[in-house]
Amino acid sequence: MRIASTLVASVSGLLGLCVSVQAKDLVQPPWRTDPAVFDWRGLYFGSHIGVGSSRTDWERATGALAAYSPFGAENVSGGARYGVQIGYNFQSGPVVIGAEADLSFGHSSGFARCALAMYVCTTGINEVGTVTARLGYATGNFLWYGKGGGAWAQIDRNLTSSVITPVYSVSETRAGWTVGAGAEYAFNSALSAKIEYDYADLGRRSLTVASQFGQVADFTTSQNLHLVKLGLNYHLGAAPTPASGLSIPAGALPQWSWTGIYLGVHAGGAFGRNEFVSATAALLASSSSGGFPGGGNTEGLLAGGQIGANYQTGGWVVGLDVAAAASAIDGYAKCAQNVFGLINNACHNRITSLGTIAGRLGPTFGNLLIYGKAGAAWGAETSEISNFYAPDSYTESGTRWGWIAGSGLEYAFSRNLSAFVEYDHIDFGTRNASFASQLGNTSVVGLNQRIDLVKTGLNYRLGGGPPTLDANAADPKLFLKAAQSPAGWTIEVGARYYGSNGRMQKDLYHPFTPARLNSRLTYADQAGHAGETFFRFDHDSGIFVKGNFGLGHLVGGNLNDEDFPGAVDYSNTLSKMKDGRLMYGSADIGTNIITARDAKLGGFVGYRSFYERSNDSGCLQIATDTLCVPTDQTSFVGLSETASWRGVALGLNARMGLTDRLKLEVDAAYLPFVNREGIDNHWYRSNINPQDEPGHGWGTQFEAILSYAVSERLSVGIGGRYQFLTTTDGSTHFPTIADNSPQKQYSERYGGFLQTSYKFGDVPDRLDQATNAQAADKVPPPAPVNWSGIYIGGTIGAGLGRSRYADPFPAPVWGDDADLGGATAGGQFGANYQAGSVVVGGEIAASWADIQGSNTCFAGFPNASLAGFNCGSRIGAIGAFTARIGYAWARALVYARGGLALDHQRDEFNTTGVGGTIQDHSSTNWGWIAGGGLEYALTPRWSVALDYKYYDFGKSGAFTTTALPELTNINLAPASNRIQTFTMGVNYRFAPIEWL
C-alpha cells in the first residue's frame, strides 16, 4: 500500500507542475496591487526534493526491557526526501497570507545503543506531512515567508540485539507542530521556485511493543525533524504581469518545438538503502536471534547513455526515454546473526548496471523543458553473504525490476544540443533470490532495495530542424536570453572531477578513566575520485545562492588498528582499504558586501553535509601482539567506519577578474557547529556490530578556483579544496557498560578539481563587455594601480601541518608524528611602496588558531605491554613579521613573502594508561615563514587577498615525566613543528590607492 501511494503521489506531484492551462488562456483576475511587486494571490501546487534529519531520544523503558538500565540513548537519522505541496495565497500590498499542505516521501534511518547497550534501537522515518499557515513579505519577484502549523510522520521502530534473542518492533504515526522559513522567486506569472527550512517537533510518546516470543515492554521516545526543501510551484489563475520586470516570458512558447528523436550520454551518482528482510533453510538456521533482518546504505557512481523521442503539441511535450548505464553501486549490511555464537554475516550487494524505460511529460517555456517521468527500472546485481568463521559463503546474481519516478530540467543550447539535470527515485521492492554456497547449501533470501539517482547529461537531436522557433531565423530567441530586467539572474551551472586524499581517525578512551586511550583507528591515505555538479545564482540585488553535490569512490589506503595494550602487548594491525564511498553537498545563501566593476566580495550562511564509508580487508599484525596471528589474507571485510557530518557554515566569498577572461574565486567557511553520526561495524564481533558513534564539533573549509572564459558563457577551470572536521564531545556505548566511552574523531580531506561550467541568464557579463569594448576601440591594457600606503585588515582560513617527535627507542612500525588540521582567523597591519610595477612592503600579522591532532608515540618502547603513548599538539595562536615583494598589473598584485614567525601551542604526552597522567606543556616557539599570494583591489580603499604561508617553528619547549623509569629525562616535546595555512584576507587602506 505504501509503495502504491508513494508512486501515485510522486508522479502526480511531479507532473502536477505541468498543467495544460497556458497563461494566455487564463481568466484575468480583476485585482492588481503594486506593479513593481509580483502578485502571489491564488491557488498553486508543485513538488519538491530535499534532505531530512531527525533526532530520537529513547528515554526510559518498563516491562521486559526494564532490567536493562540505564535504557536511554539518542540517535540522529538522515536521508533524501521528495514530495508534493498545494496551497493558496491572499495578498494585500506586499503582505502575503496563505495556507499550505505538503507531503514528502523517503526513508531516514538511524540507530543508537540502548538498554545498557544490549540492544540497537533503530528509527526509520517514512512519510512526513505538514499543514501550515504562511505569512510573507513580497519584494519584486521575491517572497520571503515564515510558516507554522501541524506536522505528522510515519515511523518504524525496531529493537534488535546481538546477544539477546527477543526482537521488538512497532510502527506509529506521530503528530506535532512545525515552524519554518523560506524564500520563493517567481520566474513568471505561472512558475516559481522556493528554498525552505522546516523544524518539526513530534513530541514525546510512550509505545507498547511485543517480541516474537510474546514479551511486552513499554518505552518512551521524543522526536524532532529538520527538513531542507527545494521546490517548484505552478500558480493557477495567474495573470500576466509585464510591469513586474519578469525575465522569463509568461506561458509556454508554442512555436518552439521539441519534437524529434535524440541520443545522449549521462553520468551521476546513486544513494539508497538495502534491507535484507528474510531467509530460509541454512541461513535462517544460522540465525538464532529470531530473524534474519539487516539493513545498510548503498552508494556509487554510474555513467551511460540514452535514446528517446519527444512529441510536442502546443506548450506540452510528451515522450519516451530509454536509458542504460554501467554502475558501481554497493553496500554492506549485518544479517543472519547468531546471538549465542556472537557471529554475524556480512551481506554485500553490488549493482553493476542500471536502466530505465520511462515516459516523460511536461510544459516547455521556449527552450527550457520542465518534465516529470515515470516507468520501469531494472538493475543487474550480485550479492554475497559470508562471515569470517564460516567455511562457506553464499552468492547470487540476477536482474531486478521495479518502478521509477522522477523529474528534471532540460535546456537547449541550440536547435540540436541540450543539457539536462535530473533526480529519480527507483524502488525495486522486495525480491526473493536463491543463494548457494560453494559447499552446496542453499537459502532463499528476500532483499528490498530503494535507490535515489542524481544525474546530468547531454542530448543531441537528430536532424537540423527542431527545436527552433523559426527554421529561417538567424538568432531564435531563447528562454533565458530575454531582455535584462531589474529582477534578472545570472545562473552558472557546471560539473567537476574532484581528485582528493584524506584520512579519518577515531581515538577511543576508557569509560571510567576518560583520560586513558584504549584504542585508535586511523584510515590513512584514502585517495578519492568524485563527480560533482555545482550551481551559482546571482541576482542584480547582490543576493547569491550557490551549492554543490558530489559522489565518488575511496580507493586504496591503509587502516592501522591500535590497542593499548592488545590481548597482551601493544597491538597494531594493518589492513588494506576497499569499496569506500564519498558523498557531500552544500547550499549557501548570501549577499555581496562590495561590488566593483569586475569583482565582488560577499558573506554567506549555509549548510554542509559530508559522508564517507571506509571498508578494510585482511589483517597483518605489525606490532608485538597476536591479534592477527596467523595473518588473515582473505578478502573478507573486517571493519567498516561510516561517518555523516552535517553543520552550519559561515563564510566569505570573493570573485575577482584578473584579466578580461581569467577569474579567481575564493571561498572560506567556518563551521561553528557540526553534528556527527558514526557507525562502526566490527564484522568479526557480532556483540559490538554495529556501534553508534554520535558527536558534536566544528570544522572549516577553504576553496579556490581559477577559471578561464572560453566564450561569453562557457568556462573551464582548475581549483583546490581543503576540509577539516572534528568532534569536541564524541562517544560510543559498549554492551553491559553503564557509562559512555569518550571518543575524539577527525576527518580531513584535500585535493584538486577540474571543472567546466555554462552561464545562463540575461545579466550582462561586465568582463566580456570590457573585453569587447577594448578590442573595438583598440585601447591598451590599463596601467597597474599604485599600492603604496598603509593598510589594516583581517583574514579567515584553514591550516594543516605535522608535529614530529624524536623517539629514543627502537624504530617503531607506526607513529611518532601527529597530523594537524584546523582553522585560523586574525588580522594584519602593513605598508607598501611601489615603483613602476614592483611593490615592496612589510606586514605584521596575528591570528587565533585551532590547529590540532594526535597520534601514537614511542611504539617501540622496550616493555611491549606498556608501549604506545598518545601524543599530540594544538596550536592556539600564530604571529608573523614578514617582508613582501610583488608585481602589480591592472588591479592585481602577485607577491612573495618571508620573515620571522612564532606560535603558541600546547603539547601533550599521555601516560594515563601506565599509571601516569597527561603531561600538558605550553610553549611559544619561534621560527620562519615563507609564502605568497595574490591581492586584488576592489575599490580605492578595499582589497581582497588569497594567501598561502608555510611555517617552520622548530622544536617545542622541553618537558619530561617520571611515570616510568624508562621515560625519565626523555624530552617528550615535538622535535619539529611545521604547518601550512590558506587564508582569505580583506584589507582597508587609510589613503585611497590610485584608481584605474
Side-chain angles (χ1 to χ4, degrees):
M1 182 67 180
R2 181 182 302 164
I3 293 175
S5 65
T6 301
L7 176 60
V8 172
S10 298
V11 174
S12 63
L14 293 167
L15 301 184
L17 294 173
C18 316
V19 298
S20 60
V21 181
Q22 299 301 323
K24 61 184 178 62
D25 299 321
L26 298 175
V27 176
Q28 303 299 321
W31 30 258
R32 180 67 191 161
T33 58
D34 181 358
V37 177
F38 182 79
D39 204 324
W40 294 91
R41 297 187 188 191
L43 181 69
Y44 64 89
F45 59 97
S47 68
H48 63 265
I49 59 174
V51 294
S53 65
S54 176
R55 171 172 166 163
T56 306
D57 288 320
W58 304 77
E59 297 179 6
R60 59 177 178 266
T62 61
L65 294 172
Y68 305 106
S69 181
F71 177 81
E74 66 178 58
N75 71 266
V76 176
S77 57
R81 307 206 69 82
Y82 57 99
V84 295
Q85 66 272 352
I86 185 171
Y88 194 92
N89 290 324
F90 300 89
Q91 185 168 352
S92 176
V95 178
V96 178
I97 301 173
E100 183 178 89
D102 70 11
L103 179 63
S104 68
F105 306 90
H107 183 78
S108 304
S109 181
F111 76 95
R113 285 277 181 178
C114 60
L116 199 59
M118 299 294 286
Y119 273 89
V120 175
C121 290
T122 303
T123 300
I125 299 177
N126 302 303
E127 291 85 3
V128 176
T130 66
V131 178
T132 60
R134 300 203 312 171
L135 176 62
Y137 187 84
T139 58
N141 291 27
F142 280 101
L143 174 63
W144 310 91
Y145 64 88
K147 62 187 300 187
W152 63 269
Q154 197 281 324
I155 305 172
D156 297 330
R157 303 191 191 276
N158 296 283
L159 288 80
T160 60
S161 175
S162 298
V163 294
I164 303 173
T165 302
V167 175
Y168 298 86
S169 61
V170 64
S171 295
E172 61 163 328
T173 299
R174 181 172 295 200
W177 56 267
T178 181
V179 294
E184 191 166 359
Y185 180 81
F187 295 108
N188 62 15
S189 57
L191 187 66
S192 64
K194 70 171 184 177
I195 183 170
E196 180 178 302
Y197 165 79
D198 296 323
Y199 171 81
D201 191 320
L202 302 181
R204 174 203 264 166
R205 182 175 174 183
S206 294
L207 297 171
T208 299
V209 294
S211 75
Q212 74 273 37
F213 305 118
Q215 297 104 319
V216 177
D218 294 311
F219 61 87
T220 301
T221 63
S222 59
Q223 191 81 50
N224 62 41
L225 290 162
H226 300 268
L227 303 171
V228 178
K229 306 171 186 174
L230 180 66
L232 290 172
N233 284 325
Y234 194 97
H235 299 259
L236 294 175
T241 54
S244 65
L246 297 170
S247 60
I248 293 177
L253 301 178
Q255 66 268 43
W256 184 276
S257 176
W258 289 83
T259 299
I261 298 173
Y262 61 86
L263 301 170
V265 295
H266 67 265
F271 51 96
R273 184 78 178 171
N274 290 337
E275 299 284 351
F276 292 83
V277 296
S278 62
T280 65
L283 283 174
L284 180 61
S286 71
S287 174
S288 58
S289 63
F292 184 78
N297 294 331
T298 182
E299 310 92 14
L301 300 176
L302 67 152
Q306 65 275 348
I307 182 172
N310 291 322
Y311 177 76
Q312 180 171 342
T313 174
W316 279 83
V317 176
V318 61
L320 179 68
D321 184 271
V322 179
S327 62
I329 305 169
D330 83 323
Y332 288 86
K334 172 187 176 181
C335 62
Q337 56 183 334
N338 184 316
V339 300
F340 302 115
L342 297 181
I343 296 172
N344 60 253
N345 284 270
C347 291
H348 181 217
N349 175 268
R350 180 184 294 271
I351 297 177
T352 57
S353 61
L354 195 67
T356 60
I357 304 171
R360 301 202 311 173
L361 177 65
T364 170
F365 295 85
N367 61 322
L368 176 70
L369 173 64
I370 303 174
Y371 61 88
K373 64 186 299 184
W378 59 266
E381 51 87 26
T382 61
S383 298
E384 180 183 20
I385 301 177
S386 60
N387 75 71
F388 179 71
Y389 304 100
D392 55 346
S393 61
Y394 295 79
T395 60
E396 70 87 26
S397 62
T399 300
R400 303 173 63 88
W401 283 89
W403 57 265
I404 177 177
S407 62
L409 305 173
E410 187 167 3
Y411 178 86
F413 300 105
S414 70
R415 58 192 62 184
N416 294 106
L417 186 65
S418 63
F420 68 90
V421 60
E422 182 176 300
Y423 171 85
D424 298 318
H425 176 77
I426 295 176
D427 195 323
F428 287 121
T430 300
R431 171 178 174 263
N432 293 321
S434 179
F435 282 70
S437 77
Q438 73 271 34
L439 300 183
N441 295 318
T442 62
S443 180
V444 176
V445 176
L447 171 61
N448 181 279
Q449 288 181 295
R450 299 179 298 276
I451 299 174
D452 295 285
L453 305 179
V454 177
K455 61 183 184 180
T456 184
L458 295 171
N459 284 325
Y460 186 86
R461 282 164 184 77
L462 303 180
T468 182
L469 286 168
D470 181 351
N472 298 318
D475 182 21
K477 295 186 179 300
L478 299 182
F479 167 73
L480 291 175
K481 281 191 176 180
Q484 183 188 358
S485 70
W489 290 90
T490 297
I491 303 172
E492 185 177 12
V493 296
R496 292 176 178 142
Y497 161 75
Y498 179 44
S500 63
N501 205 320
R503 66 182 175 105
M504 180 167 50
Q505 180 178 323
K506 179 180 67 179
D507 296 348
L508 173 68
Y509 292 85
H510 197 280
F512 306 128
T513 309
R516 175 181 173 177
L517 183 66
N518 279 357
S519 69
R520 170 179 284 132
L521 297 177
T522 305
Y523 299 81
D525 296 325
Q526 293 191 93
H529 302 279
E532 179 179 332
T533 61
F534 64 94
F535 68 88
R536 179 176 175 124
F537 297 174
D538 282 282
H539 191 257
D540 278 358
S541 64
I543 294 173
F544 61 86
V545 180
K546 61 185 180 70
N548 71 336
F549 175 79
L551 195 149
H553 291 182
L554 297 176
V555 298
N558 300 308
L559 166 63
N560 285 86
D561 182 358
E562 301 174 84
D563 292 289
F564 309 93
V568 178
D569 297 331
Y570 163 70
S571 175
N572 191 326
T573 63
L574 179 66
S575 303
K576 297 296 183 181
M577 308 306 301
K578 68 172 187 177
D579 293 333
R581 294 295 184 264
L582 181 70
M583 184 164 59
Y584 54 91
S586 69
D588 301 322
I589 183 169
T591 185
N592 292 318
I593 303 167
I594 298 176
T595 299
R597 187 185 65 191
D598 52 2
K600 297 175 182 178
L601 173 66
F604 64 84
V605 58
Y607 174 83
R608 296 289 184 275
S609 176
F610 181 74
Y611 169 95
E612 56 186 332
R613 167 165 62 93
S614 300
N615 303 309
D616 82 331
S617 63
C619 185
L620 171 66
Q621 184 73 46
I622 61 174
T624 54
D625 204 75
T626 58
L627 289 180
C628 284
V629 178
T631 298
D632 169 22
Q633 297 180 338
T634 70
S635 60
F636 182 81
V637 60
L639 286 172
S640 298
E641 185 73 22
T642 303
S644 297
W645 302 79
R646 305 179 183 93
V648 176
L650 303 173
L652 293 175
N653 176 266
R655 309 185 90 190
M656 298 159 273
L658 305 182
T659 69
D660 295 332
R661 295 187 177 273
L662 197 62
K663 299 181 182 180
L664 177 67
E665 181 173 358
V666 184
D667 202 84
Y670 178 66
L671 283 62
F673 177 84
V674 296
N675 177 82
R676 181 190 189 271
E677 181 65 20
I679 302 173
D680 182 332
N681 295 107
H682 270 63
W683 299 102
Y684 295 153
R685 300 176 60 184
S686 174
N687 62 322
I688 58 170
N689 181 21
Q691 282 290 112
D692 66 317
E693 299 171 340
H696 301 289
W698 60 275
T700 186
Q701 184 171 310
F702 192 88
E703 186 175 288
I705 305 159
L706 186 65
S707 62
Y708 179 80
V710 178
S711 69
E712 182 184 70
R713 297 184 180 272
L714 179 65
S715 295
V716 296
I718 59 173
R721 179 183 295 146
Y722 174 77
Q723 173 184 286
F724 176 83
L725 300 161
T726 188
T727 57
T728 54
D729 63 349
S731 65
T732 192
H733 198 177
F734 287 95
T736 73
I737 299 176
D739 292 345
N740 286 343
S741 297
Q743 285 188 336
K744 179 70 171 178
Q745 295 129 345
Y746 298 97
S747 178
E748 185 179 35
R749 185 147 292 274
Y750 52 89
F753 49 79
L754 302 174
Q755 73 174 42
T756 183
S757 66
Y758 191 84
K759 187 181 296 181
F760 305 88
D762 55 322
V763 177
D765 188 316
R766 294 180 176 87
L767 289 180
D768 289 333
Q769 281 190 340
T771 302
N772 296 335
Q774 181 175 305
D777 297 338
K778 300 188 182 332
V779 177
V785 301
N786 193 321
W787 292 86
S788 297
I790 299 173
Y791 63 89
I792 190 171
T795 62
I796 179 175
L800 71 159
R802 176 169 292 180
S803 291
R804 179 155 289 169
Y805 292 77
D807 190 341
F809 302 105
V813 295
W814 173 259
D816 286 343
D817 52 51
D819 288 328
L820 313 178
T824 70
Q828 61 274 348
F829 176 81
N832 291 321
Y833 175 76
Q834 183 168 341
S837 295
V838 178
V839 179
V840 295
E843 184 178 278
I844 300 173
S847 298
W848 162 88
D850 192 347
I851 302 174
Q852 56 177 279
S854 61
N855 203 357
T856 302
C857 286
F858 301 177
F861 191 73
N863 187 340
S865 65
L866 305 179
F869 304 93
N870 189 31
C871 57
S873 300
R874 187 170 191 167
I875 296 174
I878 303 171
F881 306 88
T882 60
R884 300 200 313 172
I885 182 169
Y887 179 83
W889 86 94
R891 292 161 63 185
L893 170 65
V894 60
Y895 60 85
R897 70 163 77 237
L900 298 177
L902 73 160
D903 81 334
H904 183 78
Q905 73 181 65
R906 188 182 71 202
D907 302 308
E908 292 185 353
F909 198 93
N910 190 342
T911 57
T912 306
V914 294
T917 61
I918 296 178
Q919 305 296 314
D920 185 329
H921 182 77
S922 296
S923 62
T924 299
N925 307 317
W926 283 87
W928 55 269
I929 176 179
L934 184 145
E935 190 167 2
Y936 188 89
L938 298 171
T939 72
R941 291 187 183 270
W942 290 96
S943 63
V944 63
L946 168 65
D947 200 79
Y948 165 80
K949 300 184 181 76
Y950 179 90
Y951 299 88
D952 189 328
F953 295 114
K955 61 183 180 181
S956 295
F959 64 100
T960 60
T961 182
T962 58
L964 291 171
E966 296 90 341
L967 294 178
T968 303
N969 297 324
I970 290 178
N971 183 11
L972 306 179
S976 68
N977 298 284
R978 299 184 176 96
I979 65 169
Q980 305 171 68
T981 63
F982 310 89
T983 60
M984 179 195 297
V986 179
N987 290 321
Y988 175 82
R989 281 165 174 75
F990 292 99
I993 60 177
E994 287 186 19
W995 197 239
L996 295 177

